[in-house]
Amino acid sequence: MKKKLKSMPVSFYAGVVIVFVILLMAFFPGLFTDQDPYTQNMNALLQGPSAAHWFGTDDLGRDVYTRVIYGTRVDLAIGIFAMLVPAVTGTLIGLCAGYYGKKVDAVLMRILDVITAFPFIILVIAIVAIIGSGIRNMFIAIWCVGWKDYAKLVRSEVLAEKNMEYVAAAKTLGFSEMRIMLRHILPNVIDGAVVYAISDVMMCMMVGASLSFLGLGVSAPTPEWGAIITGGRPFLTSAWWISIFPGIFLAVTGVAISFIGKGVADKVKAK
């Protein structure tokens, strides 16, 4: 008798709706605003939220709402592209370490131990400080460190999976090790990495926003949530709206992605 899978919780669908709206903002910002995020207006400096400027204006008279909308594209790109390379790299490293074992596993795990000994964000900041600030170097820093969790997840699954009967049967049939790993083992161990990747998108967005806040990530005048928050920091008491609204967008996006990740994780566990 097949095990009945639980239906997705309401929070999952709420997260999907929110993320869908965020994707619309990222790909079609013109649907939400007809203003330019770079246009300065010296006659509208630090104006509060109003019908003309829903989120107010910043110290250069730029419309904060428009900059937040266009910042969605940048932050989402950071989250997705900063996640993809470590996800693929870490999965392949974990697959090789778990399957081959012995010296290969020992070497790869020692490298992993060294990286794990330091907090993720500290390593990223240190790498960016060495190679220089900017969005390209920010990606490189995240890629250099972000693969470790994927490697650990996949390796632990492969260690158990490689002793299964279907793997032994594939070896008996003379299949190559590459085929066994990629076509037989990987599909059975990838679920955990996929679930983690969903939450990792938000983690990368947070890291990107943090680096921009510290002046090490996206540089002005590019509209990015962390950079907008940093730009409003000197005016927190007099023009709070500059930093508050991008902060709200960042928080809501994080909650939505976590809802989706939790729903998918529950579904995987119920299989």
Side-chain angles (χ1 to χ4, degrees):
M1 185 176 181
K2 291 184 178 180
K3 185 177 180 180
K4 186 178 180 180
L5 298 181
K6 294 181 179 178
S7 59
M8 290 294 192
V10 176
S11 59
F12 170 82
Y13 296 106
V16 169
V17 171
I18 294 172
V19 170
F20 176 73
V21 174
I22 291 170
L23 287 172
L24 283 179
M25 291 179 179
F27 287 102
F28 308 104
L31 294 176
F32 299 86
T33 178
D34 58 357
Q35 299 190 50
D36 189 307
Y38 299 99
T39 299
Q40 301 178 13
N41 184 357
M42 296 298 110
N43 295 319
L45 304 181
L46 299 176
Q47 291 187 358
S50 63
H53 303 285
W54 290 1
F55 292 175
T57 62
D58 61 13
D59 56 315
L60 296 175
R62 296 172 297 191
D63 185 70
V64 176
Y65 169 75
T66 300
R67 289 183 61 76
V68 169
I69 294 297
Y70 276 87
T72 305
R73 175 182 297 175
V74 179
D75 281 86
L76 200 61
I78 291 173
I80 293 173
F81 290 113
M83 173 276 294
L84 280 177
V85 172
V88 174
T89 304
T91 297
L92 293 177
I93 290 174
L95 185 62
C96 292
Y99 183 80
Y100 289 111
K102 297 181 181 179
K103 292 183 178 181
V104 174
D105 185 37
V107 171
L108 292 176
M109 288 305 102
R110 294 299 76 77
I111 296 174
L112 186 61
D113 289 340
V114 172
I115 297 177
T116 307
F118 300 92
F120 175 78
I121 187 64
I122 299 299
L123 277 178
V124 172
I125 291 175
I127 294 173
V128 172
I130 293 172
I131 64 179
S133 60
I135 190 167
R136 183 188 65 180
N137 291 341
M138 178 183 67
F139 278 133
I140 293 174
I142 296 175
W143 293 342
C144 289
V145 183
W147 61 271
K148 62 183 180 67
D149 293 314
Y150 295 96
K152 289 168 62 177
L153 279 170
V154 174
R155 173 184 175 270
S156 63
E157 294 288 337
V158 173
L159 286 174
E161 203 71 20
K162 71 178 183 178
N163 296 317
M164 300 295 286
E165 292 181 358
Y166 73 88
V167 176
K171 291 180 179 178
T172 302
L173 291 171
F175 294 156
S176 66
E177 292 183 332
M178 187 65 66
R179 175 171 177 171
I180 293 173
M181 285 192 293
L182 296 180
R183 296 189 60 180
H184 297 273
I185 296 179
L186 183 60
N188 291 296
V189 302
I190 198 66
D191 287 351
V194 171
V195 171
Y196 183 78
I198 295 174
S199 60
D200 196 33
V201 170
M202 190 57 219
M203 175 62 72
C204 291
M205 291 176 65
M206 293 293 292
V207 171
S210 300
L211 291 176
S212 296
F213 183 80
L214 296 172
L216 299 174
V218 178
S219 57
T222 303
E224 188 274 329
W225 293 341
I228 298 173
I229 294 172
T230 301
R233 184 170 50 177
F235 311 100
L236 280 176
T237 56
S238 58
W240 51 267
W241 52 85
I242 301 176
S243 296
I244 291 298
F245 286 114
I248 291 174
F249 267 64
L250 190 61
V252 170
T253 303
V255 171
I257 293 176
S258 67
F259 282 163
I260 295 175
K262 187 178 185 303
V264 174
D266 292 342
K267 200 75 172 180
V268 170
K269 290 179 181 178
K271 286 183 179 180

